[in-house]
Amino acid sequence: MPDARVTNTIMGRDAFLRVLSDEGVVKMFGNPGTTELPIMHALSSAPEMGYVLALQEAIVIAMADGYARASGRLVSCNVHVAPGLGNAIGSIYTSYVSGTPMIVTAGQQEQGHGLTEPLLYAPLVPIATPVVKWATEVNRIEDLPRILRRAAKVAMTAPTGPVFISLPGDILNNEAAIDLGSVTRVDTAVRPSDRALEQLAKRLLAARKLVIVAGPEIASSDAFAEAAALAETLGAPVLQQTVGYGAHFPSEHPAYIGALNRDQKRVRQILSEYDLMFCVGSDVLKMSVWSDVEPLPETTKVAMVGLRDWEMGKNFPAEIALRADVKETLKALVPLLKKLGGAALAVKAKANLDALASTNWSAQRAQRQKALAKPVAGQPLPAEWVMAKLSKILPRNAVVVDEGLTSAATLPTYFPYRDRDSFFGNVSGGIGWGIAASVGVQIALPERHVVAVIGDGSAMYSIQALWTAANLKLPMTFLICNNGGYQILKNRLKLFHGNDQPIGMDFKDPPIDACALAKGFGVAAERVATAEAFEASLAKSLKSTTGPTLIEVMIKS
């Protein structure tokens, strides 16, 4: 038979990379297996797709999550068939909760071969479906570009989030004449109608005592300045939402009074002062453990603006709920408030802000710093002292990635959020995210020094991430807070059950040596146990430009 191939054909694997590149993807994070080899083969002729190797699939996703959150770009993640996708599920769940735009792909056995149930085989789409916005498998090579284009559009459309595509080997290795399509983006930067804006403005002005709750959409819509202008115009105090997994409002602004925690009784007490809570791109009082106390008082009403309409009225009814972009809304709302409020509003707002001067975040930090006890020689360092000293030494443009749990509980008290990229935290509660995510953040923000504050328990979930940092020679700092166990569980065992004899919560027999582990991955490391050693080690690490360093600080439990 004569060669019937046409000249405009393309291999599935090449089409895959070409479409991703056209969609704006410049980084692929992965851990390859046999079914991913077609993609790895194609990468040799696609140097523009910067491939980042991680040593386990949960780390792949967490690194990509940090990169996407810090860069705002769509990111690609490639994992290995059913076991690899299973390893990745916890991290994908975190990305789903945080709304991280990513395309997760897994190589799959060739169509038809799966019927024989070969090694590593399982249907992948049902595994991924609960933790992504959309999941599908490619069954025809002609559909590959359309599916990729749809996946990119879905991932990048607010509320953003991960999508999943199963890639059978025959799809990647086949060749066909196919239309690669083009990019679609849905513009969600919309503001409410004039009528809705006026209704909201009048309701805010009518409040007896108003509080603003700041959330992640202030950061994702780049609305730091607009949110500050809103607080100044109304003279309203600002609280960060209960799960503070990012920099959602400038800490040093005179209106900022700190973050809500996840103690229902305490939150209810705080909010009882206010008759209206205005949630700006925020969750509405997301909690952790059960309580018989509702965190929202019956006397506190709710108004909301943001693009995540699922949050609106989910647990607590909202008098006003506007599905709109935070930045665009505030740009229109603030001038309207000034117009309707007039000179009287300006006088009232100034008086309110002046009254907050003794209790706002800056005042609270100064008071706690003044009362902070010096470390006692010969004893592990107090965690609060470490967080205060870290915050004081860090340069102004430093970025903190936090998964310190108990050790870093006071970090938000001392470390100021100055811009939307200054702080990243774990949104889902599933530990192991932080040490890997910090690597992705540093890749995305090469001009800034990233410091990862990680608990010793969290670090052991994904310590292999250190290798990627060393491999890429990233000039970043890993601060491992070693208190010798799962301190948060010990605290809760005592608090909830009155039990001060924890079982299975210590790492003391044998003790874990984070420095030895770090050196095994090619990272310079030092253990410190005194105040002087900590300060010297941190200063040295911040000056390093040749690669990552790890500081293991011995923390009082």
Side-chain angles (χ1 to χ4, degrees):
M1 296 289 290
D3 186 0
R5 294 188 353 173
V6 294
T7 58
N8 64 335
T9 60
I10 186 171
M11 302 293 290
R13 57 185 181 248
D14 296 315
F16 173 74
L17 293 180
R18 191 175 299 180
V19 172
L20 284 181
S21 181
D22 189 52
E23 289 287 346
V25 175
V26 297
K27 290 292 180 185
M28 177 184 290
F29 293 77
N31 182 265
T34 304
T35 52
E36 290 72 45
L37 288 180
I39 293 173
M40 305 308 292
H41 175 53
L43 281 168
S44 62
S45 58
E48 72 280 0
M49 184 64 66
Y51 187 84
V52 179
L53 173 63
L55 302 186
Q56 201 258 13
E57 289 90 351
I59 298 171
V60 168
I61 304 298
M63 281 186 186
D65 181 276
Y67 171 83
R69 284 175 58 179
S71 69
R73 300 185 71 119
L74 178 66
V75 69
S76 170
C77 314
N78 195 32
V79 301
H80 181 45
V81 289
L85 180 58
N87 287 340
I89 287 295
S91 291
I92 299 174
Y93 168 75
T94 295
S95 298
Y96 183 63
V97 176
S98 67
T100 303
M102 63 170 62
I103 297 177
V104 182
T105 57
Q108 177 60 294
Q109 305 286 352
E110 288 78 4
Q111 295 178 97
H113 185 43
L115 181 64
T116 69
E117 298 187 359
L119 194 67
L120 302 174
Y121 174 78
L124 301 182
V125 172
I127 297 173
T129 295
V131 292
V132 295
K133 290 183 70 177
W134 182 55
T136 193
E137 182 171 277
V138 184
N139 301 126
R140 296 192 316 147
I141 187 173
E142 293 82 2
D143 294 332
L144 177 61
R146 179 173 289 166
I147 286 172
L148 283 169
R149 298 294 185 182
R150 185 182 300 177
K153 186 265 297 186
V154 171
M156 292 293 285
T157 300
T160 56
V163 298
F164 173 77
I165 304 173
S166 170
L167 297 172
D170 54 313
I171 297 295
L172 295 173
N173 286 321
N174 283 349
E175 187 176 26
I178 54 178
D179 181 358
L180 296 185
S182 56
V183 176
T184 297
R185 289 291 181 269
V186 179
D187 186 352
T188 58
V190 295
R191 46 150 283 187
S193 67
D194 291 342
R195 180 193 61 81
L197 274 173
E198 185 170 354
Q199 180 189 20
L200 173 61
K202 288 180 176 179
R203 181 66 184 91
L204 295 174
L205 293 172
R208 175 185 57 80
K209 193 170 184 183
L210 169 70
V211 65
I212 296 168
V213 176
E217 291 183 61
I218 291 176
S220 61
S221 67
D222 194 20
F224 252 50
E226 289 78 8
L230 174 72
E232 292 162 14
T233 299
L234 291 168
V238 179
L239 289 161
Q240 180 156 273
Q241 66 175 34
T242 54
V243 183
Y245 60 89
H248 303 155
F249 193 85
S251 304
E252 294 162 314
H253 191 280
Y256 185 62
I257 59 174
L260 289 168
N261 63 21
R262 295 189 295 280
D263 178 339
Q264 285 91 328
K265 293 180 181 179
R266 177 60 180 151
V267 171
R268 186 181 181 90
Q269 181 184 22
I270 291 170
L271 295 180
S272 63
E273 287 188 42
Y274 307 100
D275 63 313
L276 183 62
M277 178 175 70
F278 183 28
C279 297
V280 181
S282 71
D283 296 334
V284 187
L285 309 184
K286 179 179 285 190
M287 295 294 164
S288 298
V289 298
W290 178 85
S291 172
D292 59 357
V293 174
E294 288 282 12
L296 184 70
E298 294 79 5
T299 53
T300 305
K301 305 306 177 184
V302 180
M304 300 186 67
V305 62
L307 289 169
R308 297 174 299 155
D309 56 309
W310 177 253
E311 292 299 321
M312 298 176 177
K314 182 176 73 174
N315 296 319
F316 306 101
E319 281 188 8
I320 297 174
L322 303 182
R323 190 184 190 280
D325 178 76
V326 166
K327 186 183 185 79
E328 293 301 315
T329 300
L330 297 186
K331 282 165 61 177
L333 177 63
V334 169
L336 180 59
L337 287 167
K338 291 179 178 179
K339 177 182 176 182
L340 294 176
L345 175 61
V347 172
K348 178 183 176 182
K350 185 179 184 306
N352 287 349
L353 291 178
D354 289 345
L356 292 173
S358 61
T359 57
N360 63 16
W361 181 86
S362 297
Q364 293 176 45
R365 179 179 62 170
Q367 291 165 7
R368 290 192 70 149
Q369 284 178 327
K370 187 176 180 180
L372 194 61
K374 294 182 179 179
V376 178
Q379 295 185 12
L381 295 173
E384 184 169 349
W385 181 90
V386 172
M387 296 304 114
K389 185 60 65 173
L390 172 70
S391 301
K392 184 176 182 180
I393 294 175
L394 287 180
R396 284 187 65 86
N397 72 335
V399 178
V400 170
V401 178
D402 171 31
E403 195 174 84
L405 302 181
T406 52
S407 295
T410 59
L411 178 62
T413 303
Y414 295 99
F415 179 71
Y417 307 154
R418 294 191 171 108
D419 61 74
R420 63 176 181 169
D421 292 328
S422 56
F423 178 84
F424 297 92
N426 188 347
V427 54
S428 72
I431 66 175
W433 167 89
I435 196 168
S438 67
V439 176
V441 172
Q442 184 67 84
I443 293 171
L445 303 172
E447 73 286 356
R448 302 177 70 166
H449 192 100
V450 173
V451 177
V453 181
I454 312 293
D456 52 347
S458 293
M460 292 306 105
Y461 276 67
S462 50
I463 194 70
Q464 308 98 307
L466 294 177
W467 181 87
T468 303
N471 174 251
L472 298 176
K473 297 178 174 55
L474 300 176
M476 60 186 299
T477 301
F478 297 94
L479 180 63
I480 307 297
C481 300
N482 187 344
N483 56 23
Y486 295 127
Q487 189 63 47
I488 190 170
L489 294 181
K490 295 179 186 179
N491 294 349
R492 289 183 172 184
L493 183 68
K494 184 175 181 179
L495 178 64
F496 299 153
H497 300 282
N499 185 342
D500 201 18
Q501 301 296 320
I503 295 173
M505 300 177 191
D506 286 311
F507 313 146
K508 297 178 180 177
D509 187 19
I512 292 173
D513 188 339
C515 288
L517 290 168
K519 291 173 184 176
F521 289 114
V523 175
E526 181 180 9
R527 174 177 285 185
V528 298
T530 67
E532 295 77 14
F534 172 73
E535 293 184 54
S537 185
L538 180 59
K540 180 181 176 182
S541 177
L542 292 173
K543 292 178 182 177
S544 176
T545 59
T546 57
T549 54
L550 182 143
I551 303 169
E552 183 181 16
V553 57
M554 307 310 290
I555 295 288
K556 184 178 180 181
S557 64

